[in-house]
């Protein structure tokens, strides 16, 4: 029990939770979406600025969530800038879990994937 | 009868899951062996489709089922004919919101009244029923202690805008506060001349209920929150309403006569019980009520209050903890909702889980209330007769660990 306790709340996860990257509103928005997790009330709003070349120029996310969902969304936000929208659409669950570096377990998987889900939904509408 | 941890031996799950600190009885309770045995015994000895066959086994099943109805009726001071078996509280409230449809539409210039303290199950059905009927919604405000008494009803709507129906919870599943249902019903009847629907899902497991004293028109609760099985619940309906309201579901077992183009309905609660009922569930619920009766409802309530007060006192001494609901625990059931500063409810309940502590973290199916409290989620500990001080100790240890983890930065 003592081991996996250290595993989930790693230093870098707590760091991203406390100081989430790209936690902001964008001025110029090319795509946006809002997704909530009905089981816990968490909600993310994602805004994207997309260049002529189809690459993500900037991302801003806002809302509230637990350490796992905030850290995952924050880490993901660092990864999407500079990538083509098409590439971002192809990012999957494994990509996010590798970024987190932990196994959140079945009850927290939805938390871990909430950010990715919101980014995907924003690009869907694009 | 003993109470607290000495009862756990009679609940198989506490043997199966050694070290379980179960503090989520407001979501669902654990079950004593006697409940499971009653259900299993029915399937082994008396199983047949009740109220249909004439053979003796079917008679036996019918008698068992009706005996369970009588047991439930005595539990809340009602007559057997006033007890409708449903699947759970949610189904009872949905049934009413549909059966009242014509009445609400006819009175659509009058609002449908509810409160922002409701569980979604007593909120969404009325929100939708008002929409279908073309009626407005009106919300009864809380007092400073986040409790509702008759005085709050006066602040809603003076006549002639009296509501067509009032739906209100007996006890809040988040705050733990008990509303003054007897006073509220009296006011609604006298000033508004409107029926009152009481959600007793959180109250029925923890305090004696007498529907005659409350004078509520409808009262709903679930078996699974009061030591009984899932899949069975109760809708108490005053006799006059059983005759006035049309059934929500129709089909087998609830008719008197079926013509090619029209049908007539059975007398009695069967009118609202279409389809083969959950007989084993009803017997399990009756066994749960007997278990509660042997322990004594007052004693259960006192025990839970003692534990909840102990937790409230411990949390009140912590600067980084906010407790929602009356800090003195006055007029409350054993439910304590709180947050630890800087730690999301999901994380806290996850960390507590490692200490074997099962608490709910989230919005508790009460989003309108969470908006009023200005939070997205809380952690909720809820007590029942098998809880004891060891559960609180484990919770407080887990809280310390969460503090340690989240202050590591």
């Amino acid at each position: 029990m003592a081991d996996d306790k250290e595993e989930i709340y790693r230093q870098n996860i707590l760091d991203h939770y406390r100081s989430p990257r790209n936690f902001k509103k964008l001025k110029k928005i090319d795509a946006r979406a809002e997704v909530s997790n009905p089981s816990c009330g968490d909600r993310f709003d994602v805004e994207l600025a997309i260049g002529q070349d189809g690459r993500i120029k900037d991302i801003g996310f806002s809302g509230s969530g637990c350490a796992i969902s905030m850290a995952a969304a924050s880490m993901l936000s660092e990864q999407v800038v500079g990538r083509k929208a098409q590439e971002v659409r192809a990012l999957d669950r494994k990509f996010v879990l590798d970024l987190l570096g932990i196994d959140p377990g079945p009850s927290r998987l939805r938390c871990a994937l909430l950010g990715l889900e919101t980014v995907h939904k924003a690009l869907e509408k694009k | 009868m003993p109470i607290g941890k000495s009862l756990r031996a009679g609940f198989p799950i506490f043997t199966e899951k050694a070290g379980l600190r179960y503090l989520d009885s407001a979501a669902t309770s654990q079950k004593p062996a006697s409940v499971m045995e009653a259900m299993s015994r029915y399937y082994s000895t008396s199983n047949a489709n009740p109220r249909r066959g004439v053979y003796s086994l079917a008679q036996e099943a019918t008698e068992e089922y009706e005996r369970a109805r009588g047991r439930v009726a005595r539990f809340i001071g009602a007559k057997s004919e006033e007890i409708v078996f449903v699947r759970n509280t949610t189904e009872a409230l949905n049934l009413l919101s549909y059966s009242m449809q014509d009445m609400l539409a006819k009175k659509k210039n009058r609002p449908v009244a509810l409160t922002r303290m409701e569980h979604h199950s007593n909120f969404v059905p009325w929100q939708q029923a008002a929409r279908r009927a073309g009626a407005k919604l009106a919300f009864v405000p809380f007092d400073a202690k986040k409790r509702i008494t008759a005085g709050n009803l006066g602040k809603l709507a003076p006549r002639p805008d009296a509501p067509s129906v009032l739906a209100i919870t007996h006890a809040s599943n988040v705050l733990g506060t008990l509303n003054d249902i007897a006073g509220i019903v009296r006011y609604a009847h006298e000033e508004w001349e409107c029926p009152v629907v009481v959600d007793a899902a959180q109250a029925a497991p923890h305090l004696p209920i007498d529907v005659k004293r409350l004078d509520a028109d409808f009262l709903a609760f679930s078996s699974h929150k009061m030591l009984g099985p899932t899949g069975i619940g109760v809708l108490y309906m005053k006799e006059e309403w059983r005759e006035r309201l049309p059934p929500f579901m129709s089909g087998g077992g609830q008719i008197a006569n079926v013509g090619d183009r029209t049908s007539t309905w059975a007398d009695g609660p069967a009118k609202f019980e279409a389809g083969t009922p959950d007989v084993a569930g009803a017997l399990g619920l009756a066994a749960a009520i007997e278990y509660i009766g042997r322990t004594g409802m007052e004693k259960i309530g006192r025990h839970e209050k003692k534990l909840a007060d102990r937790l409230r006192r411990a949390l009140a001494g912590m600067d980084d903890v906010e407790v929602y609901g009356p800090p003195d625990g006055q007029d409350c059931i054993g439910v304590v909702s709180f947050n630890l500063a800087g730690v999301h409810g999901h994380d806290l309940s996850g960390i507590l889980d490692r200490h074997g502590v099962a608490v709910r973290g989230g919005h508790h199916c009460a989003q309108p209330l969470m908006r009023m409290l200005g939070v997205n989620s809380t952690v909720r500990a809820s007590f029942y007769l098998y809880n004891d001080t060891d559960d609180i100790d484990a919770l407080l240890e887990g809280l310390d660990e969460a503090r340690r983890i989240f202050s590591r930065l």
Side-chain angles (χ1 to χ4, degrees):
Chain A
M1 264 174 117
D3 288 344
D4 62 19
K5 134 177 116 188
E6 295 305 320
E7 212 180 309
I8 285 209
Y9 295 104
R10 284 181 176 177
Q11 198 65 42
N12 63 333
I13 288 180
L14 291 172
D15 175 48
H16 276 268
Y17 171 59
R18 282 286 170 78
S19 328
R21 324 298 193 254
N22 298 304
F23 196 76
K24 61 187 180 187
K25 291 274 185 190
L26 298 189
K27 287 208 174 72
K28 187 187 162 296
I29 301 162
D30 296 305
R32 73 167 289 279
E34 185 187 308
V35 170
S36 54
N37 180 351
S39 79
C40 60
D42 287 357
R43 189 186 57 79
F44 282 144
D45 195 339
V46 163
E47 298 170 346
L48 298 170
I50 303 170
Q52 298 284 357
D53 57 357
R55 288 183 192 278
I56 311 289
K57 280 202 303 193
D58 202 0
I59 179 170
F61 83 98
S62 54
S64 72
C66 62
I68 304 298
S69 64
M70 288 291 274
S74 171
M75 290 173 182
L76 178 70
S77 76
E78 292 183 312
Q79 295 293 323
V80 300
V81 176
R83 284 186 201 251
K84 289 209 159 196
Q86 219 165 339
E87 278 177 69
V88 175
R89 276 195 200 99
L91 297 179
D92 60 4
R93 150 197 312 214
K94 186 174 178 303
F95 181 82
V96 174
L97 295 184
D98 287 347
L99 278 179
L100 276 172
I102 57 161
D103 172 13
S107 64
R108 304 296 294 277
L109 186 62
R110 181 82 205 272
C111 307
L113 298 178
L114 194 61
L116 181 67
E117 198 183 319
T118 316
V119 170
H120 280 171
K121 194 175 167 198
L123 289 172
E124 217 173 80
K125 292 194 290 194
K126 185 60 195 163
Chain B
M1 277 286 281
I3 199 151
K5 61 183 161 204
S6 56
L7 285 184
R8 287 180 202 154
F11 289 71
I13 199 156
F14 291 115
T15 309
E16 279 302 314
K17 300 268 187 282
L20 173 64
R21 305 281 168 220
Y22 191 75
L23 290 171
D24 198 20
S25 295
T28 196
S29 70
Q30 297 302 340
K31 327 295 178 198
S34 61
V35 164
M36 293 174 256
E37 282 156 15
M39 297 173 75
S40 159
R41 197 182 319 122
Y42 166 73
Y43 283 126
S44 301
T45 66
S46 313
N47 178 58
N49 204 325
R51 298 194 305 222
R52 286 153 175 84
V54 276
Y55 49 90
S56 53
L57 186 62
Q59 278 301 323
E60 194 177 321
T62 306
E63 279 162 25
E64 292 267 18
Y65 184 56
E66 294 306 323
R67 207 171 9 245
R69 192 192 305 279
R71 193 71 201 78
V72 171
R74 284 200 303 285
F75 179 65
I76 58 168
K79 298 180 207 160
S80 283
E81 306 79 60
E82 295 173 315
I83 301 299
V84 176
F85 280 124
V86 288
R87 204 157 50 91
N88 47 34
T89 307
T90 300
E91 185 175 285
L93 299 166
N94 273 276
L95 181 160
L96 285 177
S97 73
Y98 278 96
S99 286
M100 285 186 180
Q101 185 68 43
D102 290 348
M103 185 187 96
L104 300 182
K106 232 178 272 170
K107 298 177 179 175
K108 67 179 179 200
N109 55 333
R110 295 169 64 172
V112 170
L114 64 168
T115 85
R116 291 193 177 89
M117 198 187 281
E118 303 311 309
H119 186 283
H120 292 164
S121 61
N122 200 29
F123 194 94
V124 186
W126 300 109
Q127 182 191 61
Q128 298 304 310
R131 183 185 287 260
R132 287 192 304 269
K136 287 196 171 70
L137 285 174
F139 297 96
V140 178
F142 310 167
D143 66 17
K145 296 186 91 175
K146 300 195 189 84
R147 185 167 175 260
I148 301 171
T149 60
N152 300 108
L153 269 60
K155 292 174 189 145
L156 172 74
R159 299 177 78 166
D161 288 312
S164 55
V165 64
L166 167 64
I168 187 166
T169 190
H170 199 325
S172 164
N173 69 314
V174 177
L175 304 168
T177 41
L178 275 166
N179 296 321
D180 172 25
I181 295 298
I184 287 165
V185 170
R186 201 178 319 119
Y187 185 100
H189 285 169
E190 285 170 10
E191 301 294 322
W192 294 346
E193 293 172 2
C194 91
V196 180
V197 177
V198 178
D199 171 0
Q202 295 296 339
H206 306 289
L207 58 138
I209 287 186
D210 179 352
V211 289
K212 292 290 172 289
R213 188 186 71 79
L214 298 177
D215 199 29
D217 301 87
F218 307 94
L219 184 134
F221 55 96
S222 296
S223 149
H224 72 93
K225 290 193 202 294
M226 45 183 287
L227 309 182
T230 52
I232 186 102
V234 175
L235 172 59
Y236 158 81
M237 194 186 281
K238 256 187 196 169
E239 266 180 313
E240 52 176 289
W241 284 104
R242 191 181 68 235
E243 279 147 36
R244 277 172 69 180
L245 291 182
F248 165 47
M249 291 203 284
S250 49
Q254 63 87 230
I255 49 85
N257 186 53
V258 175
D260 281 350
R261 306 205 184 276
T262 58
S263 296
T264 53
W265 315 127
D267 291 330
K271 174 178 170 183
F272 294 93
E273 294 179 359
T276 298
D278 184 354
V279 184
L283 296 181
L285 170 58
I289 289 172
E290 272 154 31
Y291 188 100
I292 289 170
R294 284 196 298 276
T295 309
M297 191 61 110
E298 278 92 358
K299 189 172 168 184
I300 293 172
R302 273 198 307 275
H303 175 73
E304 294 161 352
K305 185 162 173 45
K306 205 176 71 193
L307 293 174
D309 284 348
R310 185 186 174 105
L311 177 60
R312 280 192 197 96
R313 272 199 307 275
L315 296 177
M318 299 171 180
D319 293 339
D320 56 354
V321 171
E322 182 165 9
V323 179
Y324 307 93
D328 58 2
Q330 208 193 335
D331 296 315
C332 279
I333 54 169
V335 167
V336 183
S337 276
F338 61 95
N339 271 324
L340 177 61
V343 184
H344 189 280
H346 239 164
D347 294 312
L348 182 52
S349 54
I351 292 167
L352 288 171
D353 181 44
R354 296 168 182 168
H355 288 249
V357 180
V359 293
R360 177 86 182 267
H363 58 57
H364 315 295
C365 300
Q367 287 180 359
L369 178 60
M370 302 306 273
R371 275 197 297 279
M372 283 192 71
L373 297 174
V375 293
N376 285 319
S377 78
T378 74
V379 170
R380 177 188 70 187
S382 51
F383 296 94
Y384 213 180
L385 68 179
Y386 37 65
N387 289 118
D388 221 319
T389 52
D390 54 354
D391 297 320
I392 298 177
D393 295 344
L395 187 152
L396 295 176
E397 275 168 34
L399 212 53
D400 276 340
E401 194 201 330
R403 250 186 219 110
R404 273 199 304 278
I405 291 175
F406 277 81
S407 65
R408 274 205 310 244
L409 283 178

